[in-house]
Amino acid sequence: MTLDPGAAPQRPSLTPPEFPSAFAQPHYAAGAAITPPVTSPAPVPVAATAPRRGSTATIWVVAVLVLVLVGLIGYFLNALGPGASLIGMILAIVPLVGVWFAVRLVDRWEPEPRSLLALAVAWGAIAAVGIALAVDWVLILLFGVRSGVGEVLQTVVQAPVVEEFAKGLGVLLIFAIARRSFDGPVDGVVYGALVGAGFAFTENIQYFAVSFIEGGAAETSATFFLRGILSPFAHVMFTSVTGFALGLAARRGLTTGQAVGPWLVGLAGAIALHAFWNGSATFGNFFVLYLTLQVPLFIGFVLGIVALRREEARLTRRRLGDYAAAGWFTPQEVDMLATPAGRRTALAWAASLRGDRRAMMRSFIADATALAATRQRALSGRDPQAAAQEHRLLERIVSTRAAMFAP
C-alpha cells in the first residue's frame, strides 16, 4: 500500500486507450500533466471550486416534479380512492425495492450520486407517468374511449411510443444537467433502469388498485404475480437501451446537442422492445412467449451488463496506471483497485487493522475510482473542471492512506 518516497517519479505516457471494444473512449485531448507526489507533509494544492453548472436547472426540475406529484395524488385519490391506492402503493413498493438493489449492484464499481439516482426514480414515477396520462387524456378527448382495434393500437403502438419518449426524456435531462456524472454506458444503463423502475412503480399502483377494486384479493394476487414477480424488470430493460445509447455518447465526449442523435436511436430500440413485450401479451400466449423470448432477452441483458462492468474495470486500470507511472500508486495498488477480488482482499486487510478501518479503505477505493473517471474526462477534453477535481481527489487519497497506516 505504501509508495517508495525515494523512487524517481516518471511522467506518464499520455496515450489514448487501446481497447478494441466499441465502448472505448476516443482520444480527444491531452489531459493535464499529472504532478508527481511530494514527499513533504505539505498538502496537495487545491484549485478554486468553479460554480456548479446545472444546479438552477435541477431546482426547476424538482419544482416541476412536485407540482406534477400533487396532480398525480389527486388523480389517484379521485379515480381509485384512498384505500385501493394505498394497497396498490404498498404492493408496488416490493418490486421497486428489488429493482433498486439490483441496479445498485450494477452501480457498485463507480457509484453515481444518490441525488441523481433519486432524481431518475422521481422522473420515472412522476413526470413520465404524468406525460403518459396527459397524452392519453388528450387522445380520449379527441377520439373518445377506444375499443377493439383502437385499444390494440393503444397497447402496442401508443403506449410504447409515448411512455418510452417520456422516460427517455428524463435520461436525456440527467445527461444535460449532470454531465460530469454521466461517464459511459454503465452510467446510462443505471440512470435508464431507475427511470424505468420509477415509472413501473407508479404504473403498478394503478394496476394493483384496479385489480383490487374489480376482483378483490384473488385478482390482485394474480396481477402482482404477473407484474411484480414475472416482469419487474420490463420497463427497466426498455429504458436501459436509451440510457446505453446516451452512455456511448458520453464516452465519446459528445455534447447534449450532439447526443440527441444517439438518444433517438436508443429511444427507437426501447420502443421496439416495449412494443414487442406488449404485443406478446396481446397477440400470443404470454407464458409461452415469456419463456421462449423474454427470459432469453433478460439473460442477454444481464450478460451485457457484465460485459460493461468488465470494460469499466479495464478503463479504471488504464487510467490509474497513468498515476502509478507518476508515483501516486504502486502497481500493486492499481491491481488492487482495478479488480473486484483485489478490492475484497483490501477490505479484509483493512478490517484486520486496529479499530477496523474498512470505512477508510472504502473511501480510498471510491476516490481512486472517481480519480480514474476524472482522468478519462480530462483526456476526452469534455470536462474543464477535471484538473481541480483531480487535485481534490488526490488530496483525499493521500490523507486516507496516511490515516489507514497511522498507529
Side-chain angles (χ1 to χ4, degrees):
M1 290 292 297
T2 56
L3 295 173
D4 181 4
Q10 303 174 354
R11 293 183 62 81
S13 174
L14 297 179
T15 56
E18 296 175 354
F19 302 146
S21 165
F23 309 137
Q25 165 74 61
H27 187 61
Y28 281 85
I34 301 175
T35 306
V38 295
T39 56
S40 68
V44 176
V46 181
T49 303
R52 293 177 60 187
R53 296 183 298 173
S55 57
T56 302
T58 304
I59 293 172
W60 280 105
V61 170
V62 172
V64 170
L65 287 176
V66 170
L67 291 176
V68 178
L69 176 60
V70 172
L72 284 178
I73 292 174
Y75 165 78
F76 278 110
L77 292 178
N78 180 65
L80 304 173
S85 297
L86 180 61
I87 291 173
M89 184 178 67
I90 292 173
L91 292 175
I93 288 175
V94 177
L96 175 64
V97 170
V99 171
W100 171 268
F101 280 108
V103 174
R104 292 294 284 164
L105 284 176
V106 176
D107 192 38
R108 284 181 65 182
W109 188 263
E110 191 229 336
E112 302 308 307
R114 293 196 176 189
S115 59
L116 292 179
L117 300 181
L119 176 61
V121 174
W123 179 273
I126 301 171
V129 172
I131 292 172
L133 287 175
V135 170
D136 194 53
W137 178 72
V138 170
L139 291 177
I140 289 176
L141 286 179
L142 293 175
F143 304 106
V145 178
R146 286 145 290 182
S147 61
V149 176
E151 188 175 5
V152 172
L153 290 175
Q154 179 186 14
T155 301
V156 182
V157 178
Q158 176 194 321
V161 172
V162 174
E163 292 175 8
E164 292 310 319
F165 174 81
K167 291 185 290 178
L169 191 62
V171 187
L172 182 63
L173 186 67
I174 293 174
F175 182 95
I177 67 177
R179 188 65 181 81
R180 294 176 63 197
S181 296
F182 210 124
D183 291 314
V186 173
D187 294 353
V189 168
V190 167
Y191 290 129
L194 289 179
V195 170
F199 186 93
F201 167 72
T202 305
E203 189 179 55
N204 280 339
I205 294 176
Q206 181 169 349
Y207 273 99
F208 297 154
V210 170
S211 296
F212 180 77
I213 293 171
E214 295 181 351
E219 187 169 335
T220 304
S221 299
T223 304
F224 179 80
F225 177 73
L226 288 174
R227 298 188 61 87
I229 304 299
L230 288 184
S231 56
F233 290 94
H235 279 289
V236 169
M237 288 193 296
F238 306 152
T239 317
S240 291
V241 175
T242 306
F244 173 77
L246 277 176
L248 289 180
R251 180 64 60 83
R252 292 170 180 144
L254 302 186
T255 64
T256 302
Q258 293 169 332
V260 171
W263 176 72
L264 290 174
V265 173
L267 188 62
I271 291 171
L273 279 179
H274 196 156
F276 176 73
W277 177 275
N278 286 5
S280 67
T282 303
F283 298 115
N285 186 309
F286 174 78
F287 291 101
V288 172
L289 291 173
Y290 179 84
L291 292 174
T292 58
L293 294 175
Q294 303 299 349
V295 171
L297 179 65
F298 178 72
I299 293 174
F301 176 76
V302 173
L303 293 176
I305 293 295
V306 171
L308 290 176
R309 282 284 301 270
R310 290 179 177 175
E311 186 75 20
E312 197 173 37
R314 288 195 294 270
L315 189 61
T316 299
R317 179 186 292 275
R318 177 73 180 224
R319 296 284 69 87
L320 290 182
D322 292 346
Y323 294 96
W328 285 101
F329 300 100
T330 65
Q332 292 78 13
E333 284 179 320
V334 174
D335 289 338
M336 176 199 78
L337 293 164
T339 61
R343 292 182 173 190
R344 288 193 296 268
T345 301
L347 288 169
W349 172 79
S352 68
L353 298 178
R354 185 176 63 84
D356 188 353
R357 300 181 182 180
R358 279 179 295 183
M360 294 182 187
M361 179 58 74
R362 290 191 186 96
S363 176
F364 184 81
I365 292 171
D367 287 340
T369 308
L371 181 67
T374 301
R375 181 69 180 167
Q376 189 70 7
R377 292 198 300 271
L379 288 172
S380 71
R382 60 187 169 89
D383 184 6
Q385 308 301 322
Q389 178 71 5
E390 175 193 55
H391 283 300
R392 288 192 291 272
L393 289 168
L394 286 172
E395 183 182 42
R396 289 211 300 261
I397 287 168
V398 170
S399 175
T400 303
R401 181 193 279 116
M404 276 194 295
F405 283 96

